[in-house]
Amino acid sequence: MGEGWQLLTIRGIPLRIHPSWFVILGLATLAFQQQYAAEFAARGSAAPMLWLVALATALLLFVSVLLHELGHSVAALSQGVKVRSITLFLLGGVASVERECSRARGALLVAAAGPAVSLALAAVLIAGRHGAAHLSPLLGAMVTELGTLNLVLALFNLLPGLPLDGGLILKALVWQWTGSQRKGTQVATATGRFLSLLAVGLGTVLLLRSGSVGSLWLILLGWFGLGSARNQTQMLALQQALKDLTVREAARRRFRVLEAGASLRDLSRIRIGEVKGPADWLLVCDGGRWRGVIDDAPLNALPVQCWDQERVADHMRPLDSLPAIREDAPLWQAVLQLDREGSDPASRLLVLGPAGLPSGTLERPEIAEVVLARLGVKLPPPLLEAARRQGSYPLGMALAQVARSMVASGDVASAADDARLAPAAGQQ
């Protein structure tokens, strides 16, 4: 959908407006103006005033949507979940959070907070409509309209299917009942897909019979719901792939081997012969035993005249200075280690065999390639090579966020076992 333009910040949460919001603002203003004109034009209300009240109604409706999303956001913050932004767009509003709640009860609270705000607004507005009507019939009509729309907003969002709040509530309830967030997502996605197909079918029938704009809106909502259900299904498949695949299946060999007695001149020849791109690691052996790793620092620090006399063994670092992971570790652990918080993200991991000896390397593009292959998608080599040069996942895949959400939800074992993620390399 894109982020849109940031207008302001509320409690540290950026509020953004997507360009599509102006389309629905215009359509809503037009609809309200026609409604007010049919009711108040005969009473002598001026057309400019009707347009002004219609615009105010549309803007206040989106203020209600904003308060609905703020309800979700405040509840999320109370659960320790960071809210990235709130964006108003064509179909209403959406709050973007850093991750899902780690407990079913917290997820239920966050999901129910939005409809609760809308129901509270509806109750206040409907209760105050008579007082507003005494001040001005036009004001009373606006308050009544906003109260009714907030009630519809709450009830519509409580329908039990993703991506609606009711779907999130259903997901949390199934999660609480079964102990499986995955099962909750599957149930809520299935009901969301059914409701979306129903909306598309009903909208199509109404469109063929009456040609009303409301039928097109119903079809659009159903289409959006089907897209969300498809995304949820793909996310479940992605999480399952990260759980099932092991580091061994994605590992490659981006390292070379140098003897400890080799000179820095030998090191320079290897570097000169390498193709452009991220350099291979140079691991040091001595008599068949792994000793360490060497980089280009000695070449940059020493004059060329010394390269023939200086030995690699005198400038190598310990092998365990490289970030490493076992080859039998699940792939989600590698994703977490490549993006470990609190440290500079690694671009490559050393893969260790059963005896703790180097057997390969692992980078982000290779993880993405094997995961997508499991899902039936093959990436073109130029795309993988470009991602390798950048040290990133191709197609902007947010695998680190997916892996963190798996840990937070309890879908996989806690990442507290960091010591097992990076065993000492080179032990024999």
Side-chain angles (χ1 to χ4, degrees), residues 222-284:
W223 191 260
F224 178 77
L226 288 174
S228 177
R230 182 173 59 252
N231 290 340
Q232 287 290 339
T233 302
Q234 291 172 344
M235 178 61 70
L236 288 173
L238 186 62
Q239 292 176 344
Q240 193 62 45
L242 287 175
K243 288 171 62 177
D244 294 344
L245 293 168
T246 63
V247 169
R248 182 188 298 108
E249 295 171 86
R252 301 291 184 269
R253 187 182 174 94
R254 292 297 308 278
F255 68 78
R256 300 189 184 191
V257 180
L258 267 177
E259 285 295 327
S263 67
L264 293 187
R265 180 74 66 182
D266 297 325
L267 172 61
S268 71
R269 292 193 186 102
I270 291 176
R271 288 305 191 207
I272 292 173
E274 286 185 335
V275 296
K276 187 176 180 181
D280 291 348
W281 277 336
L282 292 173
L283 307 186
V284 181

Short mmCIF file of all heavy atoms in Angstrom, two decimals, residues 222-284:
data_model
loop_
_atom_site.label_atom_id
_atom_site.label_comp_id
_atom_site.label_asym_id
_atom_site.label_seq_id
_atom_site.Cartn_x
_atom_site.Cartn_y
_atom_site.Cartn_z
N GLY A 222 -14.57 -7.14 -0.65
CA GLY A 222 -14.34 -8.58 -0.78
C GLY A 222 -13.02 -8.90 -1.45
O GLY A 222 -12.31 -9.82 -1.04
N TRP A 223 -12.68 -8.13 -2.48
CA TRP A 223 -11.41 -8.34 -3.17
C TRP A 223 -10.23 -8.08 -2.24
O TRP A 223 -9.24 -8.82 -2.24
CB TRP A 223 -11.35 -7.44 -4.40
CG TRP A 223 -10.21 -7.75 -5.32
CD1 TRP A 223 -9.02 -7.11 -5.42
CD2 TRP A 223 -10.17 -8.82 -6.28
NE1 TRP A 223 -8.23 -7.70 -6.37
CE2 TRP A 223 -8.91 -8.75 -6.92
CE3 TRP A 223 -11.06 -9.81 -6.66
CZ2 TRP A 223 -8.54 -9.65 -7.90
CZ3 TRP A 223 -10.68 -10.70 -7.64
CH2 TRP A 223 -9.44 -10.61 -8.25
N PHE A 224 -10.34 -7.03 -1.45
CA PHE A 224 -9.29 -6.72 -0.47
C PHE A 224 -9.16 -7.85 0.55
O PHE A 224 -8.06 -8.25 0.93
CB PHE A 224 -9.63 -5.40 0.23
CG PHE A 224 -8.64 -5.00 1.29
CD1 PHE A 224 -7.42 -4.45 0.96
CD2 PHE A 224 -8.93 -5.17 2.64
CE1 PHE A 224 -6.50 -4.09 1.93
CE2 PHE A 224 -8.03 -4.82 3.63
CZ PHE A 224 -6.82 -4.27 3.27
N GLY A 225 -10.30 -8.39 0.99
CA GLY A 225 -10.28 -9.49 1.95
C GLY A 225 -9.65 -10.74 1.37
O GLY A 225 -8.90 -11.45 2.06
N LEU A 226 -9.94 -11.03 0.10
CA LEU A 226 -9.32 -12.19 -0.55
C LEU A 226 -7.81 -12.03 -0.64
O LEU A 226 -7.05 -12.98 -0.46
CB LEU A 226 -9.92 -12.39 -1.95
CG LEU A 226 -11.36 -12.91 -2.00
CD1 LEU A 226 -11.86 -12.92 -3.43
CD2 LEU A 226 -11.44 -14.31 -1.40
N GLY A 227 -7.37 -10.80 -0.95
CA GLY A 227 -5.93 -10.55 -0.98
C GLY A 227 -5.28 -10.75 0.36
O GLY A 227 -4.19 -11.31 0.48
N SER A 228 -5.97 -10.30 1.42
CA SER A 228 -5.43 -10.49 2.77
C SER A 228 -5.37 -11.96 3.14
O SER A 228 -4.40 -12.42 3.75
CB SER A 228 -6.31 -9.73 3.78
OG SER A 228 -5.87 -9.96 5.09
N ALA A 229 -6.42 -12.72 2.77
CA ALA A 229 -6.41 -14.16 3.05
C ALA A 229 -5.28 -14.86 2.32
O ALA A 229 -4.62 -15.75 2.87
CB ALA A 229 -7.76 -14.77 2.65
N ARG A 230 -5.04 -14.45 1.09
CA ARG A 230 -3.93 -15.04 0.32
C ARG A 230 -2.59 -14.71 0.99
O ARG A 230 -1.71 -15.57 1.09
CB ARG A 230 -3.96 -14.50 -1.11
CG ARG A 230 -2.87 -15.10 -2.01
CD ARG A 230 -3.04 -14.67 -3.45
NE ARG A 230 -2.99 -13.23 -3.61
CZ ARG A 230 -4.03 -12.46 -3.88
NH1 ARG A 230 -5.23 -13.01 -4.02
NH2 ARG A 230 -3.91 -11.15 -4.01
N ASN A 231 -2.44 -13.47 1.47
CA ASN A 231 -1.20 -13.09 2.14
C ASN A 231 -0.99 -13.89 3.42
O ASN A 231 0.13 -14.29 3.74
CB ASN A 231 -1.22 -11.59 2.46
CG ASN A 231 -1.11 -10.73 1.21
OD1 ASN A 231 -0.66 -11.21 0.17
ND2 ASN A 231 -1.55 -9.49 1.31
N GLN A 232 -2.08 -14.11 4.17
CA GLN A 232 -1.97 -14.90 5.40
C GLN A 232 -1.56 -16.33 5.10
O GLN A 232 -0.75 -16.93 5.80
CB GLN A 232 -3.31 -14.87 6.15
CG GLN A 232 -3.63 -13.55 6.82
CD GLN A 232 -2.73 -13.26 8.01
OE1 GLN A 232 -2.13 -14.16 8.59
NE2 GLN A 232 -2.63 -12.00 8.37
N THR A 233 -2.15 -16.89 4.04
CA THR A 233 -1.79 -18.26 3.65
C THR A 233 -0.32 -18.35 3.26
O THR A 233 0.39 -19.30 3.62
CB THR A 233 -2.68 -18.72 2.48
OG1 THR A 233 -4.05 -18.64 2.88
CG2 THR A 233 -2.35 -20.15 2.08
N GLN A 234 0.15 -17.35 2.50
CA GLN A 234 1.55 -17.33 2.10
C GLN A 234 2.47 -17.16 3.31
O GLN A 234 3.54 -17.76 3.37
CB GLN A 234 1.78 -16.21 1.09
CG GLN A 234 1.12 -16.45 -0.26
CD GLN A 234 1.20 -15.24 -1.17
OE1 GLN A 234 1.49 -14.12 -0.73
NE2 GLN A 234 0.92 -15.44 -2.44
N MET A 235 2.02 -16.35 4.29
CA MET A 235 2.83 -16.16 5.49
C MET A 235 2.96 -17.47 6.28
O MET A 235 4.03 -17.81 6.78
CB MET A 235 2.20 -15.07 6.37
CG MET A 235 2.94 -14.81 7.66
SD MET A 235 4.64 -14.25 7.41
CE MET A 235 4.33 -12.62 6.74
N LEU A 236 1.85 -18.21 6.38
CA LEU A 236 1.91 -19.50 7.07
C LEU A 236 2.86 -20.45 6.37
O LEU A 236 3.63 -21.18 7.01
CB LEU A 236 0.51 -20.10 7.15
CG LEU A 236 -0.48 -19.43 8.11
CD1 LEU A 236 -1.87 -20.04 7.96
CD2 LEU A 236 -0.01 -19.53 9.55
N ALA A 237 2.81 -20.45 5.03
CA ALA A 237 3.71 -21.32 4.27
C ALA A 237 5.16 -20.89 4.46
O ALA A 237 6.07 -21.72 4.56
CB ALA A 237 3.33 -21.29 2.79
N LEU A 238 5.40 -19.59 4.52
CA LEU A 238 6.76 -19.07 4.72
C LEU A 238 7.28 -19.47 6.09
O LEU A 238 8.43 -19.92 6.23
CB LEU A 238 6.73 -17.55 4.58
CG LEU A 238 8.06 -16.82 4.63
CD1 LEU A 238 8.96 -17.25 3.49
CD2 LEU A 238 7.83 -15.31 4.57
N GLN A 239 6.45 -19.32 7.12
CA GLN A 239 6.87 -19.72 8.46
C GLN A 239 7.17 -21.21 8.53
O GLN A 239 8.15 -21.63 9.16
CB GLN A 239 5.78 -19.34 9.46
CG GLN A 239 5.59 -17.86 9.66
CD GLN A 239 4.44 -17.54 10.57
OE1 GLN A 239 3.59 -18.39 10.84
NE2 GLN A 239 4.38 -16.31 11.06
N GLN A 240 6.34 -22.02 7.88
CA GLN A 240 6.56 -23.46 7.90
C GLN A 240 7.85 -23.83 7.20
O GLN A 240 8.59 -24.72 7.65
CB GLN A 240 5.38 -24.18 7.22
CG GLN A 240 5.35 -25.68 7.46
CD GLN A 240 5.19 -26.02 8.93
OE1 GLN A 240 4.38 -25.44 9.64
NE2 GLN A 240 6.00 -26.98 9.40
N ALA A 241 8.16 -23.12 6.10
CA ALA A 241 9.42 -23.38 5.39
C ALA A 241 10.62 -23.05 6.27
O ALA A 241 11.61 -23.80 6.31
CB ALA A 241 9.47 -22.57 4.10
N LEU A 242 10.57 -21.94 7.00
CA LEU A 242 11.67 -21.57 7.88
C LEU A 242 11.84 -22.58 9.02
O LEU A 242 12.94 -22.77 9.53
CB LEU A 242 11.44 -20.17 8.46
CG LEU A 242 11.62 -19.00 7.49
CD1 LEU A 242 11.23 -17.69 8.16
CD2 LEU A 242 13.05 -18.92 6.98
N LYS A 243 10.74 -23.22 9.42
CA LYS A 243 10.82 -24.24 10.47
C LYS A 243 11.36 -25.57 9.93
O LYS A 243 12.14 -26.26 10.60
CB LYS A 243 9.44 -24.46 11.08
CG LYS A 243 8.96 -23.32 11.96
CD LYS A 243 7.50 -23.50 12.36
CE LYS A 243 7.30 -24.74 13.18
NZ LYS A 243 5.88 -24.89 13.63
N ASP A 244 10.92 -25.94 8.74
CA ASP A 244 11.25 -27.26 8.20
C ASP A 244 12.65 -27.34 7.60
O ASP A 244 13.34 -28.36 7.72
CB ASP A 244 10.23 -27.67 7.14
CG ASP A 244 8.84 -27.88 7.72
OD1 ASP A 244 8.75 -28.03 8.95
OD2 ASP A 244 7.87 -27.90 6.96
N LEU A 245 13.07 -26.28 6.92
CA LEU A 245 14.37 -26.29 6.24
C LEU A 245 15.50 -26.12 7.25
O LEU A 245 15.36 -25.45 8.27
CB LEU A 245 14.43 -25.16 5.21
CG LEU A 245 13.49 -25.31 4.00
CD1 LEU A 245 13.43 -24.02 3.22
CD2 LEU A 245 13.95 -26.46 3.11
N THR A 246 16.64 -26.72 6.94
CA THR A 246 17.82 -26.59 7.79
C THR A 246 18.89 -25.78 7.08
O THR A 246 18.83 -25.56 5.87
CB THR A 246 18.40 -27.97 8.14
OG1 THR A 246 18.84 -28.62 6.94
CG2 THR A 246 17.36 -28.83 8.84
N VAL A 247 19.86 -25.35 7.85
CA VAL A 247 20.97 -24.56 7.30
C VAL A 247 21.69 -25.35 6.22
O VAL A 247 22.12 -24.79 5.20
CB VAL A 247 21.93 -24.17 8.44
CG1 VAL A 247 23.23 -23.59 7.87
CG2 VAL A 247 21.26 -23.18 9.38
N ARG A 248 21.83 -26.66 6.39
CA ARG A 248 22.54 -27.50 5.43
C ARG A 248 21.94 -27.37 4.02
O ARG A 248 22.66 -27.37 3.03
CB ARG A 248 22.50 -28.95 5.88
CG ARG A 248 23.27 -29.91 4.97
CD ARG A 248 23.04 -31.36 5.35
NE ARG A 248 23.52 -31.65 6.70
CZ ARG A 248 22.70 -31.87 7.73
NH1 ARG A 248 21.38 -31.83 7.59
NH2 ARG A 248 23.20 -32.14 8.93
N GLU A 249 20.61 -27.25 3.94
CA GLU A 249 19.95 -27.21 2.64
C GLU A 249 20.16 -25.89 1.91
O GLU A 249 19.97 -25.81 0.70
CB GLU A 249 18.45 -27.46 2.84
CG GLU A 249 18.13 -28.85 3.37
CD GLU A 249 16.67 -28.99 3.75
OE1 GLU A 249 15.86 -29.30 2.87
OE2 GLU A 249 16.35 -28.81 4.95
N ALA A 250 20.54 -24.84 2.64
CA ALA A 250 20.75 -23.54 2.00
C ALA A 250 22.22 -23.16 1.89
O ALA A 250 22.56 -22.20 1.19
CB ALA A 250 20.01 -22.46 2.79
N ALA A 251 23.10 -23.89 2.56
CA ALA A 251 24.50 -23.50 2.63
C ALA A 251 25.20 -23.60 1.28
O ALA A 251 24.88 -24.45 0.45
CB ALA A 251 25.23 -24.35 3.66
N ARG A 252 26.13 -22.71 1.06
CA ARG A 252 27.03 -22.73 -0.09
C ARG A 252 28.46 -22.74 0.44
O ARG A 252 28.69 -22.94 1.63
CB ARG A 252 26.79 -21.52 -1.00
CG ARG A 252 25.37 -21.43 -1.54
CD ARG A 252 25.05 -22.55 -2.53
NE ARG A 252 23.72 -22.39 -3.11
CZ ARG A 252 22.62 -22.91 -2.62
NH1 ARG A 252 22.67 -23.62 -1.49
NH2 ARG A 252 21.45 -22.72 -3.19
N ARG A 253 29.44 -22.49 -0.43
CA ARG A 253 30.84 -22.49 0.02
C ARG A 253 31.50 -21.20 -0.47
O ARG A 253 32.08 -21.16 -1.55
CB ARG A 253 31.58 -23.72 -0.49
CG ARG A 253 32.99 -23.86 0.07
CD ARG A 253 33.69 -25.07 -0.54
NE ARG A 253 35.08 -25.16 -0.13
CZ ARG A 253 35.52 -25.88 0.90
NH1 ARG A 253 34.66 -26.56 1.62
NH2 ARG A 253 36.81 -25.92 1.21
N ARG A 254 31.36 -20.15 0.34
CA ARG A 254 31.98 -18.87 0.01
C ARG A 254 33.23 -18.66 0.86
O ARG A 254 33.42 -17.62 1.47
CB ARG A 254 30.97 -17.74 0.24
CG ARG A 254 29.77 -17.72 -0.70
CD ARG A 254 30.16 -17.50 -2.16
NE ARG A 254 31.00 -16.33 -2.31
CZ ARG A 254 30.51 -15.08 -2.37
NH1 ARG A 254 29.21 -14.87 -2.30
NH2 ARG A 254 31.33 -14.06 -2.52
N PHE A 255 34.07 -19.68 0.92
CA PHE A 255 35.37 -19.50 1.56
C PHE A 255 36.43 -20.28 0.79
O PHE A 255 36.14 -21.26 0.11
CB PHE A 255 35.34 -19.92 3.04
CG PHE A 255 35.18 -21.39 3.30
CD1 PHE A 255 36.25 -22.27 3.16
CD2 PHE A 255 33.97 -21.91 3.72
CE1 PHE A 255 36.12 -23.62 3.41
CE2 PHE A 255 33.82 -23.25 3.97
CZ PHE A 255 34.89 -24.11 3.82
N ARG A 256 37.67 -19.81 0.92
CA ARG A 256 38.84 -20.50 0.37
C ARG A 256 39.76 -20.87 1.52
O ARG A 256 39.61 -20.38 2.64
CB ARG A 256 39.56 -19.60 -0.63
CG ARG A 256 38.70 -19.16 -1.81
CD ARG A 256 39.55 -18.47 -2.85
NE ARG A 256 38.76 -17.96 -3.95
CZ ARG A 256 39.27 -17.50 -5.07
NH1 ARG A 256 40.60 -17.48 -5.24
NH2 ARG A 256 38.50 -17.05 -6.04
N VAL A 257 40.72 -21.71 1.21
CA VAL A 257 41.62 -22.21 2.24
C VAL A 257 43.06 -21.82 1.90
O VAL A 257 43.51 -21.99 0.76
CB VAL A 257 41.52 -23.74 2.38
CG1 VAL A 257 42.47 -24.24 3.46
CG2 VAL A 257 40.09 -24.15 2.70
N LEU A 258 43.75 -21.28 2.89
CA LEU A 258 45.17 -20.93 2.77
C LEU A 258 45.96 -21.69 3.83
O LEU A 258 45.48 -21.89 4.95
CB LEU A 258 45.37 -19.43 3.01
CG LEU A 258 45.36 -18.50 1.80
CD1 LEU A 258 45.50 -17.05 2.29
CD2 LEU A 258 46.47 -18.82 0.83
N GLU A 259 47.15 -22.10 3.47
CA GLU A 259 48.03 -22.72 4.46
C GLU A 259 48.65 -21.65 5.35
O GLU A 259 48.92 -20.54 4.90
CB GLU A 259 49.15 -23.50 3.76
CG GLU A 259 48.70 -24.82 3.16
CD GLU A 259 48.23 -25.82 4.23
OE1 GLU A 259 48.80 -25.79 5.35
OE2 GLU A 259 47.30 -26.60 3.94
N ALA A 260 48.84 -21.98 6.59
CA ALA A 260 49.38 -21.02 7.54
C ALA A 260 50.75 -20.51 7.12
O ALA A 260 51.13 -19.38 7.43
CB ALA A 260 49.46 -21.65 8.93
N GLY A 261 51.53 -21.34 6.40
CA GLY A 261 52.87 -20.93 5.99
C GLY A 261 52.91 -20.10 4.72
O GLY A 261 53.99 -19.66 4.31
N ALA A 262 51.75 -19.85 4.09
CA ALA A 262 51.73 -19.04 2.87
C ALA A 262 52.10 -17.61 3.19
O ALA A 262 51.96 -17.13 4.33
CB ALA A 262 50.35 -19.11 2.22
N SER A 263 52.61 -16.91 2.17
CA SER A 263 53.01 -15.52 2.36
C SER A 263 51.85 -14.58 2.08
O SER A 263 50.85 -14.96 1.47
CB SER A 263 54.18 -15.18 1.44
OG SER A 263 53.75 -15.21 0.08
N LEU A 264 52.00 -13.33 2.50
CA LEU A 264 50.99 -12.32 2.18
C LEU A 264 50.92 -12.08 0.68
O LEU A 264 49.89 -11.65 0.17
CB LEU A 264 51.29 -11.02 2.92
CG LEU A 264 51.16 -11.05 4.45
CD1 LEU A 264 51.33 -9.64 5.02
CD2 LEU A 264 49.82 -11.64 4.88
N ARG A 265 52.01 -12.37 -0.04
CA ARG A 265 51.98 -12.25 -1.50
C ARG A 265 50.97 -13.24 -2.08
O ARG A 265 50.23 -12.90 -3.02
CB ARG A 265 53.37 -12.52 -2.06
CG ARG A 265 53.49 -12.44 -3.56
CD ARG A 265 53.44 -11.01 -4.04
NE ARG A 265 54.62 -10.29 -3.57
CZ ARG A 265 54.84 -8.99 -3.81
NH1 ARG A 265 53.94 -8.29 -4.51
NH2 ARG A 265 55.90 -8.38 -3.34
N ASP A 266 50.94 -14.45 -1.52
CA ASP A 266 49.94 -15.43 -1.97
C ASP A 266 48.52 -14.92 -1.69
O ASP A 266 47.61 -15.11 -2.50
CB ASP A 266 50.16 -16.76 -1.26
CG ASP A 266 51.50 -17.38 -1.59
OD1 ASP A 266 51.94 -17.22 -2.75
OD2 ASP A 266 52.10 -18.01 -0.70
N LEU A 267 48.36 -14.29 -0.56
CA LEU A 267 47.07 -13.72 -0.22
C LEU A 267 46.67 -12.65 -1.23
O LEU A 267 45.51 -12.61 -1.70
CB LEU A 267 47.12 -13.12 1.19
CG LEU A 267 45.90 -12.30 1.65
CD1 LEU A 267 44.64 -13.15 1.66
CD2 LEU A 267 46.15 -11.70 3.04
N SER A 268 47.60 -11.80 -1.60
CA SER A 268 47.29 -10.72 -2.55
C SER A 268 46.93 -11.29 -3.92
O SER A 268 46.07 -10.75 -4.61
CB SER A 268 48.48 -9.76 -2.66
OG SER A 268 49.56 -10.37 -3.34
N ARG A 269 47.59 -12.39 -4.34
CA ARG A 269 47.28 -12.98 -5.64
C ARG A 269 45.84 -13.51 -5.66
O ARG A 269 45.15 -13.42 -6.67
CB ARG A 269 48.27 -14.11 -5.94
CG ARG A 269 49.70 -13.64 -6.20
CD ARG A 269 50.53 -14.77 -6.79
NE ARG A 269 51.93 -14.38 -6.91
CZ ARG A 269 52.90 -14.77 -6.09
NH1 ARG A 269 52.60 -15.58 -5.05
NH2 ARG A 269 54.14 -14.38 -6.27
N ILE A 270 45.42 -14.09 -4.55
CA ILE A 270 44.03 -14.59 -4.48
C ILE A 270 43.05 -13.44 -4.59
O ILE A 270 42.05 -13.51 -5.32
CB ILE A 270 43.82 -15.36 -3.16
CG1 ILE A 270 44.63 -16.66 -3.19
CG2 ILE A 270 42.34 -15.65 -2.93
CD1 ILE A 270 44.55 -17.45 -1.90
N ARG A 271 43.35 -12.35 -3.89
CA ARG A 271 42.45 -11.21 -3.91
C ARG A 271 42.39 -10.58 -5.30
O ARG A 271 41.31 -10.17 -5.77
CB ARG A 271 42.88 -10.16 -2.89
CG ARG A 271 42.62 -10.56 -1.45
CD ARG A 271 41.17 -10.93 -1.24
NE ARG A 271 40.82 -11.08 0.17
CZ ARG A 271 39.85 -11.85 0.60
NH1 ARG A 271 39.15 -12.57 -0.25
NH2 ARG A 271 39.57 -11.93 1.88
N ILE A 272 43.51 -10.50 -5.98
CA ILE A 272 43.52 -9.91 -7.32
C ILE A 272 42.71 -10.75 -8.29
O ILE A 272 42.01 -10.24 -9.17
CB ILE A 272 44.98 -9.76 -7.83
CG1 ILE A 272 45.71 -8.71 -7.01
CG2 ILE A 272 45.00 -9.40 -9.31
CD1 ILE A 272 47.19 -8.61 -7.32
N GLY A 273 42.72 -12.06 -8.11
CA GLY A 273 42.02 -12.95 -9.03
C GLY A 273 40.53 -13.07 -8.78
O GLY A 273 39.82 -13.70 -9.56
N GLU A 274 40.04 -12.50 -7.67
CA GLU A 274 38.62 -12.63 -7.36
C GLU A 274 37.78 -11.72 -8.24
O GLU A 274 38.20 -10.61 -8.61
CB GLU A 274 38.36 -12.31 -5.88
CG GLU A 274 38.82 -13.41 -4.95
CD GLU A 274 38.45 -13.11 -3.51
OE1 GLU A 274 38.30 -11.92 -3.19
OE2 GLU A 274 38.33 -14.06 -2.72
N VAL A 275 36.59 -12.18 -8.56
CA VAL A 275 35.66 -11.36 -9.32
C VAL A 275 35.12 -10.27 -8.41
O VAL A 275 35.17 -10.36 -7.19
CB VAL A 275 34.50 -12.20 -9.89
CG1 VAL A 275 35.01 -13.21 -10.88
CG2 VAL A 275 33.73 -12.88 -8.76
N LYS A 276 34.55 -9.22 -9.03
CA LYS A 276 34.03 -8.10 -8.28
C LYS A 276 32.81 -8.56 -7.46
O LYS A 276 31.96 -9.27 -7.95
CB LYS A 276 33.64 -6.96 -9.22
CG LYS A 276 33.23 -5.69 -8.51
CD LYS A 276 32.94 -4.58 -9.50
CE LYS A 276 32.54 -3.29 -8.77
NZ LYS A 276 32.24 -2.21 -9.72
N GLY A 277 32.74 -8.11 -6.24
CA GLY A 277 31.63 -8.49 -5.37
C GLY A 277 32.16 -8.80 -3.99
O GLY A 277 33.35 -8.62 -3.71
N PRO A 278 31.31 -9.25 -3.08
CA PRO A 278 31.76 -9.59 -1.73
C PRO A 278 32.84 -10.67 -1.76
O PRO A 278 32.69 -11.70 -2.40
CB PRO A 278 30.48 -10.12 -1.05
CG PRO A 278 29.35 -9.56 -1.87
CD PRO A 278 29.87 -9.46 -3.26
N ALA A 279 33.94 -10.40 -1.09
CA ALA A 279 35.08 -11.33 -1.12
C ALA A 279 34.78 -12.60 -0.34
O ALA A 279 34.06 -12.59 0.65
CB ALA A 279 36.32 -10.64 -0.55
N ASP A 280 35.32 -13.71 -0.82
CA ASP A 280 35.22 -14.96 -0.07
C ASP A 280 36.04 -14.85 1.21
O ASP A 280 37.04 -14.12 1.28
CB ASP A 280 35.77 -16.13 -0.90
CG ASP A 280 34.89 -16.46 -2.09
OD1 ASP A 280 33.76 -15.95 -2.14
OD2 ASP A 280 35.35 -17.22 -2.95
N TRP A 281 35.61 -15.57 2.23
CA TRP A 281 36.43 -15.67 3.43
C TRP A 281 37.65 -16.54 3.12
O TRP A 281 37.60 -17.47 2.32
CB TRP A 281 35.64 -16.33 4.55
CG TRP A 281 34.76 -15.36 5.30
CD1 TRP A 281 34.92 -14.02 5.40
CD2 TRP A 281 33.60 -15.69 6.06
NE1 TRP A 281 33.93 -13.47 6.18
CE2 TRP A 281 33.11 -14.48 6.61
CE3 TRP A 281 32.93 -16.88 6.35
CZ2 TRP A 281 31.98 -14.42 7.41
CZ3 TRP A 281 31.80 -16.84 7.15
CH2 TRP A 281 31.32 -15.62 7.67
N LEU A 282 38.76 -16.23 3.77
CA LEU A 282 40.00 -17.00 3.62
C LEU A 282 40.30 -17.66 4.96
O LEU A 282 40.72 -17.01 5.93
CB LEU A 282 41.15 -16.09 3.20
CG LEU A 282 41.03 -15.52 1.78
CD1 LEU A 282 42.12 -14.51 1.51
CD2 LEU A 282 41.09 -16.64 0.75
N LEU A 283 40.06 -18.97 5.01
CA LEU A 283 40.30 -19.73 6.23
C LEU A 283 41.69 -20.34 6.19
O LEU A 283 42.18 -20.74 5.12
CB LEU A 283 39.25 -20.84 6.38
CG LEU A 283 37.78 -20.39 6.31
CD1 LEU A 283 36.86 -21.57 6.62
CD2 LEU A 283 37.50 -19.22 7.24
N VAL A 284 42.34 -20.40 7.34
CA VAL A 284 43.74 -20.82 7.44
C VAL A 284 43.83 -22.22 8.04
O VAL A 284 43.21 -22.51 9.07
CB VAL A 284 44.55 -19.83 8.29
CG1 VAL A 284 46.02 -20.26 8.36
CG2 VAL A 284 44.42 -18.42 7.74
#
